[in-house]
Amino acid sequence: MLKRIVRKLRKRKTSASSNVVNNDVEYSIDKPLEIQKDRIIINKEKLNESLPILNELAGKIEEYIPHRKITHLTWNGPILEIEGYFYLENISMQNEDLVKKRLVLISSNGLKVSIPLQDVLITDINTSDEISEQYSWAGFKSKINFATITSHNRPLPEENYRLFLELDVHVLGDKIYKKSFPLGNIEHFLDNGFHSAKMEYYTARKEMKYNLLATYDLPLKTLKITSSKLKDMDPTVMGLDADEKQRGVFYRLVHKYCFSLTYKLCKMLPLKEKKVIFASDSRSEMSGNFQFVFDELLKRNLDYDYHLLLKKGVDEKKSYKEIFTLAYHLATAKYIILDDFYPMIYPLKIRPGAELIQLWHAVGAFKTFGFSRLGRPGGPSPKSKNHRNYTKAIVSSHNVAKHYAEGFGIDVDKVVPTGIPRTDVFFDKEYQENVRANLYEEYPFLKGKKIIMFAPTFRGNGQQSAHYPMEVLNLEKLYHELKDEYVFLFKIHPFVKNEFSIPYQYSDFYYDFSSYREINDLLFITDILITDYSSVCFEYALLNKPMIFFAFDVEEYVRTRDFYYDYHSFIPGPLAKTTEQMIDIIQKEDFKMEKIEPFVDYFFEDLDGKSTERVVDQLIINNI
């Protein structure tokens, strides 16, 4: 038998050698077998190609003939949408539970990636082929994001891959029939014969970028995917300001021990009853709640001593002078006002008579934070001192006070439902009219169209790893379906690191407003808000306008981050997981507007535009 196979393979080899050069391009046969005098060596990488040849040469005929076809294959960045059918002749597929299909990627080094496919009825597949009812569950479809395909949501590892369809059919009382087969001729699905996209991954200590290239593999008649690593680095040690941000041993000693010692020594000085500090490690200028409270204090002509201690981010290095100045002011001020996370202050014991007031930037209570995340990825240690020394914190309603108390690790009686200062503009019609007029004057292309604003929160465990996977949006579909009636504004979270650029062919529809500081002003010209887990939905609900919650990863978010309320019943608008669902909601105007009024009633204590006054009256002036 072996001699007969060798003879046939030698004959095949001679025939293969007869391929000629055409148009100065040399064609060659990729040989999966190596023929020696008394043996055949099978290349492990070419096993799938070797078996059909061996079966043919040995006179073995496939007992079950595979039938398969890819009826739809499109790319959106690194996201592949695929649809088709696959069945074995004379093997019944009338029970969905007994059928399994997978898309299998096999690399040149033997790495195998197996992706389950969704089984669908053959009648739901877009094909004109006549297929017997006994193969009713032969259809399949799937959407695969190669940028988050691994268990750690990392991109497809660097390799060359060929794609195969894999089918298992369990026939009760008989056996399980298995078959793997290439995809077939899918070249016509690739524009210009290929598709390329970028894949990115971010954490605080890791920044990775890959290039994905999809081409047609002619010898195997399948799709070939190449993942190439372009970048793999620690962002904290790269860049022009890396040395400036680097903390040496002496700096760390000053930052931690000398700062703490200076604070303790300065606490011996008299407490200054009219000294007010605004301290932030997330903004370099006055804005948001800070600005509203500061302006209200100035408007009242109070004889207070104000100090603004602002930094752009927690990783921005403070000078030695700033460290000692901060310790002095914190130790002697009657009022210390924060608006976000401020790590240097948490180990300190606030002196009797002083107030550490947190004007948290978010409205309402949505995704869990702080000590509500104990035991979860990115959550704090039970021994952490973060937030615990607040003497007061504000919220929008008594209904959410318990959640903030839990998140901050403080008693609920320290959480005061004053309302959130920066929401006061939602009750100021004159302010809104001025904002709209100014925006239309500055951006005249916004006139005459309805405005959709896309304002999602970031992904990642914090500022150092913040990113957003823009590939989940199908820009082409949104453009063609909505461009006649709408314009689409991007308001991406300022923490997001990955770069995003609007394709020039869509520049009359998409506009990037991410650098526009005050998102609330943009809400006044917005007709439809698209968000996900961002607290911007609370402010926008005050306008009683439609919103869509584009939560493509809601299951993953519930598992790793979780919410204070059931997500589906909480959101004051429809849930969309795909671009197609978003478009359908917009075109049908199915916004579930009836959910907005009870949402506002629950999450806002007072609807009078006087939250800033209550903060000043209840937390500052009354204390004096």
Side-chain angles (χ1 to χ4, degrees):
M1 172 69 77
L2 181 60
K3 290 181 180 179
R4 183 158 59 93
I5 293 176
V6 170
R7 283 198 304 271
K8 289 192 176 184
L9 282 174
R10 283 176 176 165
K11 185 177 180 181
R12 179 181 286 261
K13 181 180 180 182
T14 303
S15 174
S17 301
S18 65
N19 284 284
V20 296
V21 175
N22 182 25
N23 295 330
D24 298 325
V25 178
E26 184 176 353
Y27 290 86
S28 63
I29 300 298
D30 189 12
K31 297 179 288 294
L33 306 176
E34 181 182 343
I35 306 169
Q36 296 184 355
K37 183 176 181 180
D38 58 348
R39 70 190 65 188
I40 298 172
I41 298 177
I42 302 173
N43 187 338
K44 182 179 71 173
E45 299 171 5
K46 306 295 182 180
L47 184 59
N48 278 308
E49 299 150 81
S50 304
L51 290 176
I53 298 172
L54 290 173
N55 287 334
E56 176 190 346
L57 295 173
K60 182 179 178 182
I61 300 173
E62 282 285 348
E63 187 176 356
Y64 301 102
I65 301 172
H67 296 265
R68 56 90 180 91
K69 185 176 184 180
I70 303 301
T71 59
H72 175 81
L73 188 152
T74 59
W75 289 94
N76 179 37
I79 299 177
L80 170 67
E81 287 190 46
I82 189 169
E83 179 185 282
Y85 63 79
F86 188 18
Y87 65 91
L88 302 179
E89 194 169 308
N90 296 323
I91 302 298
S92 177
M93 299 176 67
Q94 293 181 308
N95 189 334
E96 179 188 6
D97 294 335
L98 304 181
V99 176
K100 292 181 180 178
K101 303 185 199 76
R102 290 172 289 274
L103 188 67
V104 177
L105 286 70
I106 299 178
S107 78
S108 52
N109 303 346
L111 181 64
K112 180 179 179 181
V113 181
S114 184
I115 305 164
L117 298 172
Q118 180 184 348
D119 296 301
V120 297
L121 288 166
I122 194 66
T123 53
D124 295 333
I125 298 300
N126 183 25
T127 180
S128 59
D129 299 343
E130 293 186 7
I131 299 174
S132 170
E133 290 184 1
Q134 70 171 320
Y135 310 120
S136 55
W137 284 102
F140 64 83
K141 66 180 179 179
S142 186
K143 181 181 285 189
I144 303 152
N145 188 347
F146 289 103
T148 58
I149 199 167
T150 71
S151 58
H152 299 291
N153 288 323
R154 291 190 177 193
L156 184 68
E158 185 176 32
E159 284 285 355
N160 293 312
Y161 301 86
R162 271 77 174 182
L163 274 65
F164 298 85
L165 291 171
E166 191 171 85
L167 172 66
D168 293 357
V169 183
H170 187 189
V171 178
L172 293 177
D174 192 357
K175 61 181 181 179
I176 297 177
Y177 296 85
K178 295 189 175 185
K179 183 68 178 177
S180 295
F181 219 61
L183 301 188
N185 189 346
I186 48 81
E187 188 173 17
H188 58 286
F189 289 114
L190 297 171
D191 291 338
N192 300 313
F194 75 98
H195 172 78
S196 64
K198 294 292 185 289
M199 302 185 293
E200 299 174 311
Y201 176 78
Y202 293 91
T203 66
R205 295 287 182 179
K206 177 74 73 173
E207 183 175 318
M208 303 170 74
K209 292 188 178 182
Y210 291 75
N211 188 62
L212 178 145
L213 178 66
T215 55
Y216 177 57
D217 189 313
L218 179 61
L220 264 182
K221 289 192 175 180
T222 194
L223 187 67
K224 178 182 177 182
I225 292 181
T226 301
S227 175
S228 307
K229 188 183 290 186
L230 305 177
K231 181 190 291 187
D232 187 352
M233 69 175 194
D234 181 347
T236 63
V237 298
M238 303 295 288
L240 298 176
D241 58 348
D243 292 338
E244 183 183 337
K245 291 182 179 179
Q246 198 74 357
R247 269 71 165 168
V249 175
F250 182 72
Y251 182 87
R252 292 198 297 271
L253 286 172
V254 173
H255 188 271
K256 184 174 182 180
Y257 296 106
C258 295
F259 170 73
S260 177
L261 178 60
T262 303
Y263 174 77
K264 291 176 181 178
L265 292 173
C266 290
K267 282 171 66 176
M268 299 178 185
L269 299 172
L271 184 68
K272 297 187 177 182
E273 295 288 338
K274 292 190 175 184
K275 186 174 185 178
V276 182
I277 292 176
F278 290 86
S280 177
D281 265 351
S282 62
R283 67 183 72 240
S284 56
E285 73 285 334
M286 293 294 282
S287 58
N289 290 333
F290 267 10
Q291 188 70 63
F292 282 92
V293 172
F294 184 59
D295 288 347
E296 181 67 21
L297 289 168
L298 293 179
K299 185 173 72 174
R300 300 194 185 194
N301 295 316
L302 301 168
D303 186 23
Y304 285 2
D305 179 22
Y306 301 107
H307 296 267
L308 312 181
L309 308 175
L310 310 176
K311 282 290 182 182
K312 183 178 181 180
V314 293
D315 61 342
E316 186 173 351
K317 190 175 180 180
K318 294 179 174 66
S319 68
Y320 292 115
K321 180 181 178 181
E322 287 173 329
I323 291 173
F324 290 113
T325 300
L326 176 63
Y328 166 74
H329 285 313
L330 292 177
T332 56
K334 170 71 174 181
Y335 301 102
I336 306 162
I337 302 176
L338 309 179
D339 72 331
D340 206 333
F341 186 67
Y342 202 95
M344 285 188 72
I345 208 167
Y346 298 132
L348 306 180
K349 185 176 181 180
I350 303 303
R351 65 188 295 178
E355 296 284 352
L356 179 58
I357 302 169
Q358 176 60 264
L359 306 181
W360 195 246
H361 56 282
V363 182
F366 198 169
K367 52 185 181 288
T368 56
F369 72 98
F371 291 98
S372 297
R373 300 188 63 209
L374 283 173
R376 292 186 174 274
S381 163
K383 297 180 180 179
S384 171
K385 294 182 179 181
N386 292 348
H387 305 298
R388 292 182 187 268
N389 54 356
Y390 301 150
T391 61
K392 293 289 187 299
I394 66 169
V395 289
S396 60
S397 167
H398 71 280
N399 291 320
V400 301
K402 61 183 178 181
H403 302 310
Y404 278 76
E406 178 186 70
F408 290 145
I410 61 178
D411 295 335
V412 72
D413 60 3
K414 294 180 179 179
V415 182
V416 186
T418 58
I420 308 302
R422 65 191 187 93
T423 64
D424 287 349
V425 294
F426 289 86
F427 305 92
D428 187 339
K429 298 301 181 184
E430 183 180 353
Y431 176 87
Q432 294 177 34
E433 290 173 4
N434 289 335
V435 166
R436 280 193 288 265
N438 291 336
L439 283 170
Y440 287 135
E441 182 179 356
E442 187 173 357
Y443 307 104
F445 54 82
L446 298 177
K447 294 180 180 179
K449 292 283 186 80
K450 294 179 182 178
I451 296 174
I452 299 170
M453 186 164 72
F454 182 66
T457 192
F458 63 84
R459 302 303 189 270
N461 289 327
Q463 184 173 351
Q464 303 305 310
S465 60
H467 63 281
Y468 187 83
M470 294 303 300
E471 65 270 9
V472 298
L473 280 180
N474 191 319
L475 300 184
E476 183 180 3
K477 285 185 179 180
L478 285 166
Y479 177 79
H480 289 298
E481 294 291 337
L482 303 176
K483 65 181 175 64
D484 293 336
E485 189 175 354
Y486 297 91
V487 291
F488 194 103
L489 309 186
F490 288 99
K491 186 69 174 74
I492 306 303
H493 197 285
F495 287 177
V496 168
K497 291 183 174 183
N498 51 307
E499 297 177 0
F500 166 67
S501 59
I502 295 170
Y504 70 88
Q505 63 267 38
Y506 307 142
S507 58
D508 60 338
F509 175 67
Y510 294 112
Y511 300 93
D512 190 359
F513 274 65
S514 299
S515 60
Y516 194 93
R517 176 65 194 183
E518 191 51 61
I519 188 173
N520 281 354
D521 286 356
L522 295 176
L523 296 180
F524 299 136
I525 62 169
T526 298
D527 295 288
I528 301 172
L529 173 70
I530 300 176
T531 186
D532 47 11
Y533 318 117
S534 170
S535 64
V536 69
C537 67
F538 292 99
E539 289 100 319
Y540 195 67
L542 292 171
L543 298 173
N544 195 34
K545 292 182 179 181
M547 59 187 104
I548 299 172
F549 290 82
F550 179 55
F552 63 92
D553 57 350
V554 63
E555 293 89 353
E556 174 72 9
Y557 216 84
V558 168
R559 184 178 66 82
T560 59
R561 182 67 186 257
D562 205 8
F563 304 95
Y564 289 112
Y565 303 91
D566 174 69
Y567 187 79
H568 291 86
S569 61
F570 162 83
I571 55 175
L575 169 65
K577 291 186 177 182
T578 65
T579 297
E580 293 78 7
Q581 290 175 354
M582 273 196 292
I583 293 170
D584 187 61
I585 291 168
I586 293 170
Q587 291 178 338
K588 293 179 179 177
E589 298 186 352
D590 183 19
F591 297 115
K592 305 188 186 302
M593 297 294 293
E594 69 278 0
K595 297 184 71 174
I596 295 179
E597 184 177 349
F599 179 84
V600 170
D601 290 342
Y602 184 86
F603 287 103
F604 289 90
E605 191 88 358
D606 299 287
L607 299 172
D608 56 5
K610 297 182 179 180
S611 296
T612 307
E613 294 179 21
R614 279 187 290 273
V615 169
V616 171
D617 288 336
Q618 296 179 30
L619 276 60
I620 300 177
I621 291 181
N622 284 355
N623 284 326
I624 292 180

